Structure formats: C-alpha cells, structure tokens
Amino acid sequence: MRVVLAEDLYLLRDGLVRLLQAHGFEIVAAVESGPELLKALLDARPDVAVVDVRLPPTFTDEGLQAALAARRSIPGLPVLVLSQHVEQLYARELLADGSGGVGYLLKDRVFNAGQFVDAVRRVASGGTAMDPDVIARLLASNAGNEPLGRLSPREREVLELMAEGRSNAAIAQRLFLSESAVSKHTANIFAKLDLAASDDDNRRVLAVLAYLNGTRG
C-alpha cells in the first residue's frame, strides 16, 4: 500500500515513516510543506495520504487544503488528516463531498500504533475513520437537536461508534452485544434521525456524519 506522508516535525515524520513501513506500507514521499504535499500527491497518486493539517508556509490549514485540492484532481483520493486539536471546520471541509476514504484523527492517537495503522488501512480501503473526540464535539454541537434527543443512551453509544467508522461487528464487540442487536439499534437510529437506511457500512457512516455536520442535502 503506497503512502504519501506530510508532517513538518522531522522526528514525528521519521517516526511515522518507520511505523508505517514496519506494518507493510510503502512510503513513496514524506514531505514537510503544503506545496510539496500537493505536488507529491498529484505525481505519485498514492493509495492513501496521511497529512498534518498545519504545514508550512502558513501553519494554518495548509496540509488540509493541499489534500483537498489533490482530491479534487483525483476524485476519491483517500486522505487521513492529523490535527493537534478538534476543529469542526476541518471535519466539515473533509466530509463536504460526501464520499468515503476520509479520516480525521487527533495526533494523540498516533501513539497507539494499532489504532493508527487500523485507521490508515480503513481510509485507504475507502472507509471512514473519525476520532472519538471529533464525534463527541459534533454531538455536543447538536445537543439541542430534537431528533438526537429521541435516541436512547444505548443508541447514542452505537451512533458514536458508527460515526467513528465502526462496522456492526466491531460495534457489537466493543459494546458486548450481538450483531443482530446492533442492527436493530442502527435501524432505530436511522428511523429516529429520518435518514435512509443502508446495508453499506460506509454510506451509513457518511450519512450519520453529514447529519452531525449539518450538511444533509
């Protein structure tokens, strides 16, 4: 699996390169600035991009904007962004086109090698990997939303895990439930939120995230 990595801190960049290589990834480019990132993505067309949101020269959202620009030229290019803090705007921009192959993790998650590598693989395969803290912030910003108030505590737990990109099997394992019980909960969630049900895990996740982002069409 071919990866383009963008991170301006040398030690972290080198550490991520070594971590990903140890798990069988091929690093085709490891860059430190927004312009370098955009060029590397357009030239190499990797299986996935792992991108720090803030890169030189501006240290604002240079990395995210370079990744989004590349994604416009290469539709569906899988992008996993890393951020020091939760920024809802970043999540909204990343999810704006309504397609999969996207992820948003806080940098703290990088130190959990298994969780990080799982997220990279999930995004590369066209799935979605959203940080639990990002989901919590989106839920909090929708706290006054009446449909969300219809959900039971267990349904909210399932919703949070669904929004992270977890499959029914993974949710069942995490909550010590049967898969059939999780299926019933997800069906109830979609009904209460007035969302169209889907058996496709990724479409389901994207529908929930669009709902939480307030970007439903």
Side-chain angles (χ1 to χ4, degrees):
M1 195 174 291
R2 301 168 67 252
V3 180
V4 165
L5 173 68
E7 166 59 53
D8 65 296
L9 297 175
Y10 171 76
L11 289 178
L12 180 54
R13 184 171 68 252
D14 186 61
L16 290 174
V17 167
R18 291 170 184 271
L19 172 62
L20 290 169
Q21 287 176 332
H23 285 83
F25 294 90
E26 177 190 353
I27 308 300
V28 294
V31 301
E32 60 181 349
S33 73
E36 288 177 305
L37 171 60
L38 181 57
K39 183 177 187 307
L41 292 175
L42 295 178
D43 289 349
R45 297 184 174 241
D47 297 307
V48 61
V50 179
V51 178
D52 186 357
V53 168
R54 300 185 180 216
L55 292 175
T58 67
F59 290 101
T60 54
D61 61 352
E62 203 91 5
L64 176 64
Q65 295 307 324
L68 292 176
R71 198 169 157 95
R72 287 191 289 272
S73 296
I74 311 170
L77 173 70
V79 174
L80 173 63
V81 301
L82 305 176
S83 179
Q84 197 70 44
H85 308 287
V86 176
E87 294 284 354
Q88 279 184 248
L89 178 60
Y90 297 162
R92 185 169 290 116
E93 288 192 70
L94 192 61
L95 295 161
D97 67 2
S99 61
V102 293
Y104 182 151
L105 290 186
L106 294 184
K107 283 192 173 180
D108 288 349
R109 310 290 172 195
V110 171
F111 299 107
N112 182 325
Q115 189 176 37
F116 173 63
V117 169
D118 174 66
V120 175
R121 287 200 171 113
R122 202 176 332 145
V123 170
S125 66
T128 306
M130 301 300 287
D131 195 283
D133 287 352
V134 175
I135 301 306
R137 181 70 64 86
L138 292 174
L139 282 168
S141 69
N142 284 274
N145 186 308
E146 193 273 330
L148 280 176
R150 301 174 196 160
L151 302 184
S152 69
R154 177 61 88 187
E155 288 166 352
R156 284 182 67 91
E157 287 182 307
V158 171
L159 176 69
E160 289 178 29
L161 291 170
M162 193 191 311
E164 287 176 29
R166 306 293 174 183
S167 66
N168 277 4
I171 294 171
Q173 185 176 33
R174 179 76 67 89
L175 298 180
F176 303 102
L177 297 171
S178 67
E179 284 192 52
S180 61
V182 173
S183 294
K184 288 178 183 176
H185 284 310
T186 57
N188 288 340
I189 289 166
F190 271 71
K192 291 178 180 180
L193 299 184
D194 300 319
L195 294 172
S198 173
D199 292 328
D200 183 296
D201 281 339
N202 197 47
R203 288 184 183 277
R204 185 181 69 172
V205 171
L206 290 168
V208 169
L209 289 169
Y211 179 90
L212 294 176
N213 264 315
T215 55
R216 260 169 71 191

